[in-house]
């Protein structure tokens, strides 16, 4: 069960599922998508509110494209992590989540660009 949690720092740190290290310890073949928030062109919300700090990292199963885990540290990460956890519970793959259309301007838009690194 994908149960998200958030540490309410500024910006908040939200996590769900496995870390890259935990996935490796389990012998899983993974792809990693990681990007600093300030470098994400498709993520205007943090810049609008004046806090572009943070990072987004996804751990994705190489074979199934299933999302194994995510760590989000950015404005609104406490909200975005719930969508990621739902995708994990419903077995929505990284490519399908990447290709969704999200409201603009929102922090959720970052999923398009960050998961787009996986090809």
């Amino acid at each position: 069960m994908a149960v998200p949690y958030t540490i309410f720092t500024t910006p908040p740190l939200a996590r769900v599922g496995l870390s890259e290290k935990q996935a490796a310890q389990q012998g899983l073949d993974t792809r990693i998508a990681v990007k600093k928030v300030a470098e994400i062109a498709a993520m205007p919300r943090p810049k609008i509110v004046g806090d572009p700090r943070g990072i987004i990292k996804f751990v994705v199963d190489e074979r199934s494209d299933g999302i194994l885990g995510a760590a989000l540290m950015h404005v609104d990460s406490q909200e975005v992590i719930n969508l990621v956890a739902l995708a994990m519970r419903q077995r929505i793959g990284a490519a399908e989540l990447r290709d969704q259309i999200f409201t603009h301007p929102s922090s959720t838009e970052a999923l398009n660009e960050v998961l787009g690194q996986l090809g």
Side-chain angles (χ1 to χ4, degrees), residues 9-86:
T9 54
T10 303
L13 170 63
R15 297 199 52 181
V16 65
L18 300 177
S19 68
E20 182 178 3
K21 183 178 178 179
Q22 290 169 324
Q25 289 172 339
Q26 292 184 24
L28 298 170
D29 293 325
T30 61
R31 293 179 293 153
I32 306 300
V34 61
K35 198 160 190 179
K36 291 180 181 178
V37 169
E39 298 171 0
I40 301 172
M43 189 180 188
R45 177 121 172 91
K47 295 168 186 95
I48 289 168
V49 299
D51 192 358
R53 297 174 298 157
I55 193 162
I56 295 176
K57 184 174 189 177
F58 277 86
V59 181
V60 176
D61 185 89
E62 176 69 38
R63 292 183 191 107
S64 70
D65 194 48
I67 300 166
L68 299 172
L72 314 175
M73 185 173 196
H74 59 76
V75 169
D76 301 328
S77 66
Q78 76 279 4
E79 299 295 336
V80 178
I81 200 70
N82 294 312
L83 175 63
V84 176
L86 178 64

Side-chain angles (χ1 to χ4, degrees), residues 31 58 60-61 64-68 84 86-100 115 118:
R31 293 179 293 153
F58 277 86
V60 176
D61 185 89
S64 70
D65 194 48
I67 300 166
L68 299 172
V84 176
L86 178 64
M88 291 172 67
R89 288 191 300 271
Q90 297 301 312
R91 294 186 172 91
I92 294 170
E96 189 173 354
L97 187 59
R98 172 200 68 210
D99 294 342
Q100 296 303 303
L115 291 172
L118 297 172

